[in-house]
Amino acid sequence: MDWLWKALGGKSGRNQKRSQAIVDRAQAATDELGQLSDAELAQRARDVTAGSALQDPAEFLAILGIATKRTLGIEPFAVQSQATLRLLEGDVVHMATGEGKTLVGAMAATGYALMGKSVHAITVNDYLAHRDAEWNRPLVEFFGLTVASITEAMDATARREAYACDIVYGPVNEIGFDVLRDQLITSRDQAVQHGADVAIVDEADSVLVDEALVPLVLAGAEPGTAPTGQITQVVRTLVEKRDFTIDSDGRNAFLTDDGAHRVEKALGIASLFDDEHVGTTLVQVNLALHARALLIRDVHYIVRDGKVQLIDASKGRVADLQRWPDGIQAAVEAKEGLVVTDGGRILDSLTLQALMGRYPLVCGMTGTAVEATDQLRQFYGLRVSVIERNRELRRFDEADRIYATAEDKQRAIVAEIAALRETGRPVLVGTHDVAESEALADALTELGIETTVLNAKNDAEEARIIAEAGDIGRVTVSTQMAGRGTDIRLGGADEADRDQAVALGGLAVIGTGRHKSSRLDNQLRGRTGRQGDPGSSVFFVSLEDDVVVSGGEGENHTFTPDASGRIDSKRAQQFVDHCQRVTEGQLLEIHAQTWKYNKLISDQRTIIDERRSALLDTPRAWEELSARSPERAAQLAELPQHVVEQAARDIMLYHLDRGWSDHLALLDDVRESIHLRAIARETPLDEFHRIAVTEFKTLAQEAVDQAVATFESVLIDGSGAHLDDAGLARPSATWTYMVGDNPLAESGNSLINGIGAMFR
Ligand code: ADP
Ligand code: MG
């Protein structure tokens, strides 16, 4: 790979001109190389990538391009070759929707694989993982390499086989869950994966920034804790402002003194803040209050079939796999009068950011990388390369239409859609949540406008629906970012009525409100105007929108609306932009703060990992235990060496894993109580670090001491250590989930701050 770095001249080579020159040379080399047979070409590619011999990256690109033409039937555009080069250099490329990032990722993956690196091509869902792997297969196999995809339904054996391929496409959460499950194995052959040298992340800003702190959790069965019925009941009677307040960003709720007194009286206790109540009753009261005040039915969750089902705010639909941290989940169930489900013992957890940190090299592509430049640099040390469009953008982005009230705005949106519908021009409406999308669809249906609402629960179905959004007369109402990665072609997926759709002005995109980040606005706009198509986008904003209210807090402006409630002023426009910049700043700050907590856990996890690997791959467990307890070792002398080694390994790993799980639980508690202390203005992060470091040292020591005790007492015979009989069974059932913890979520769904802020 060295040759590539050198050829590109390292850092300074990052300028576009230099790689443009390489692409030009690649094009020049194409004619001659094009004479070679398939076998000769594949061999040439292997020669070019062999070792660190100085070879010509231009030739390499040319070979990839010719192979693409022969296998996939399309010729890469120059911009795609250039983007491929950037990915091979480890950048995040900024490349607009519809510019063909799938091919860029495929060429880069193939390139890395040719250099002998194992590649994980990371997607946002199952459907895309499968689609892209299959699409790319002919190119990969042309070079004698292998490719597979990971999907949710696969069992361990199928996964193991898939991960053995040179290039593995997989949804980020499945890959993360596999990492977590592999951290519980007791012998190496149970592992399904073994990491990879390179991660190529599609929709990179979504995975690396928006979802970065979403924790993937592995849990084993164990009963949970919920606020008691009495506490739930008392909290239900509390009145906002008098008994509790909600902070401006809607992430935390606090009891007032009045509220605290009311609760204390009802529960018959002297003070919630007494030592005996702080870690128990107060925590439960806070959980109940969080559920009561911040989590709103039909916005943050729905109740269906007697169960609480979370709504994934970033996607705006039911998130089957998600649940809140146990206490919150139970509190919401109690609030709704449902059966409180068993919690799980958290065995391990991993944020997507920590997952990405496991790859020696990360690169990726997205239509909105530039806007995430700060985050990508700060959190991953990644640079952004902007790739020009293949064809000039013909989309018209209208200035925001700003209204005084949400009602005025809603009326205007409906009128605008109705007017567009008259012309037959396709319309795609981006809303922020399920409730909003349904309310809008209802209003449109009342006017006799047929509307397709996107709340399909299945990625493939969702992709099919969104693919048709460019058809004549179609009105599609979607929630945030639904169907990311799907190609919206004018005139329908088959482009049958393309000419007519073009004549009408292409797909009209309407945003029902600015997002908390301009990146998400741009993602929505990017759904139209692909590959030089005509199109337009406009956002409707009201001064009552969350972004404006929370971003504009403390500012005093008077705007004069016209009779329709519209505020047509440059000043108002600037104010809205300002509000969004404020919310963007808040998100960045939350991310940075939260990562400081998670980073420490992640570092500790790495140490545990190393220890686990040593125990798994060497006879160290047996050596350590027999050194500590030679008499016991002598008693086992009759047994075969591999049996006692595995027995020792099982014992050591049991206590190590249990210790880690306890450590995570303890850190949860610490962070909860630290939140309470933060009110008293101590410095929570330092305090947290101090405790976490001290406790981690204890963990390591205790895990060994307990293992020695078990080694001395447990029955060990020809079939190994009988840990189950000693009450030291590993959880028989495990399951995985993602915690609804997205900071981009609308207020209330984020548990990053506040009492619900636990590490999961
Ligand atoms: P993106 O992920 O950048 O939004 P896609 O990878 O989904 O874009 O590609 C959009 C469309 O463009 C697809 O239909 C794809 O087949 C097509 N496409 C990509 N590259 C080329 C090319 N070089 N020549 C012709 N069509 C292409
Ligand atoms: Mg794509």
Side-chain angles (χ1 to χ4, degrees), residues 1-7 48 51-57 60 115:
M1 171 82 193
D2 281 348
W3 58 267
L4 194 54
W5 295 110
K6 282 200 198 96
V48 163
S52 58
L54 255 188
Q55 300 286 341
D56 187 355
F60 185 42
M115 293 173 201

Side-chain angles (χ1 to χ4, degrees), residues 101-102 131 202-203 485:
K101 289 185 285 293
T102 313
R131 182 195 77 175
D202 195 8
E203 306 292 354

Side-chain angles (χ1 to χ4, degrees), residues 68 73-78 80 95-104 131-132 135 202-203 365-367 390 485-489 526 530-531:
T68 299
I74 54 177
E75 202 159 344
F77 303 127
Q80 288 175 310
M95 217 179 164
T97 318
E99 292 286 302
K101 289 185 285 293
T102 313
L103 176 58
V104 170
R131 182 195 77 175
D132 293 354
W135 188 75
D202 195 8
E203 306 292 354
M365 58 269 188
T366 169
N390 186 46
T486 309
D487 206 14
I488 305 181
R489 300 177 184 205
R530 68 182 275 283
Q531 287 287 337

Side-chain angles (χ1 to χ4, degrees), residues 157-417:
T157 312
R159 282 167 196 258
R160 203 170 289 126
E161 257 168 48
Y163 280 117
C165 289
D166 300 306
I167 301 172
V168 185
Y169 282 80
V172 65
N173 54 342
E174 287 302 317
I175 290 182
F177 289 144
D178 286 330
V179 167
L180 285 173
R181 282 185 287 250
D182 273 0
Q183 282 169 339
L184 287 185
I185 56 172
T186 51
S187 76
R188 196 45 97 180
D189 57 4
Q190 294 164 346
V192 306
Q193 63 147 273
H194 40 79
D197 300 316
V198 181
I200 301 178
V201 187
D202 195 8
E203 306 292 354
D205 60 326
S206 171
V207 172
L208 298 177
V209 179
D210 297 342
E211 309 270 322
L213 297 174
V214 170
L216 303 173
V217 182
L218 181 68
E222 195 162 282
T225 51
T228 62
Q230 196 189 10
I231 290 176
T232 305
Q233 208 54 47
V234 178
V235 168
R236 189 170 289 152
T237 66
L238 300 181
V239 176
E240 190 177 344
K241 295 216 167 69
R242 184 189 70 187
D243 300 324
F244 64 90
T245 56
I246 298 179
D247 66 8
S248 62
D249 61 6
R251 287 207 171 86
N252 294 302
F254 302 99
L255 282 180
T256 60
D257 286 347
D258 263 9
H261 288 316
R262 210 169 296 274
V263 172
E264 285 156 359
K265 210 166 139 224
L267 298 179
I269 59 176
S271 167
L272 277 171
F273 299 92
D274 280 350
D275 282 352
E276 63 172 311
H277 294 301
V278 163
T280 54
T281 319
L282 181 57
V283 169
Q284 293 203 0
V285 169
N286 273 313
L287 287 169
L289 182 61
H290 191 106
R292 149 79 206 278
L294 304 178
L295 298 175
I296 302 162
R297 185 163 168 169
D298 293 332
V299 174
H300 303 117
Y301 64 94
I302 59 172
V303 175
R304 191 156 67 187
D305 306 331
K307 287 195 204 107
V308 168
Q309 294 188 301
L310 269 71
I311 293 173
D312 177 335
S314 71
K315 302 199 180 80
R317 55 200 166 97
V318 169
D320 286 328
L321 282 177
Q322 297 196 3
R323 50 185 279 140
W324 288 298
D326 285 329
I328 299 281
Q329 183 81 21
V332 173
E333 286 162 352
K335 164 186 159 185
E336 295 292 342
L338 303 170
V339 178
V340 174
T341 52
D342 269 0
R345 176 182 183 77
I346 305 293
L347 301 174
D348 204 353
S349 73
L350 180 72
T351 62
L352 297 191
Q353 187 161 349
L355 172 66
M356 298 318 299
R358 299 171 62 89
Y359 293 91
L361 197 150
V362 175
C363 60
M365 58 269 188
T366 169
T368 44
V370 166
E371 301 91 325
T373 302
D374 286 350
Q375 287 93 331
L376 292 170
R377 194 194 53 237
Q378 188 175 339
F379 301 120
Y380 302 93
L382 285 170
R383 264 166 302 202
V384 171
S385 275
V386 179
I387 307 295
E388 295 301 316
R389 286 171 190 271
N390 186 46
R391 297 224 185 89
E392 209 177 311
L393 180 67
R394 276 166 67 205
R395 184 184 75 215
F396 176 65
D397 297 327
E398 203 192 307
D400 294 353
R401 297 197 204 162
I402 303 172
Y403 292 84
T405 69
E407 208 185 317
D408 296 333
K409 179 180 89 168
Q410 169 85 359
R411 206 180 307 119
I413 292 171
V414 172
E416 174 76 6
I417 296 170

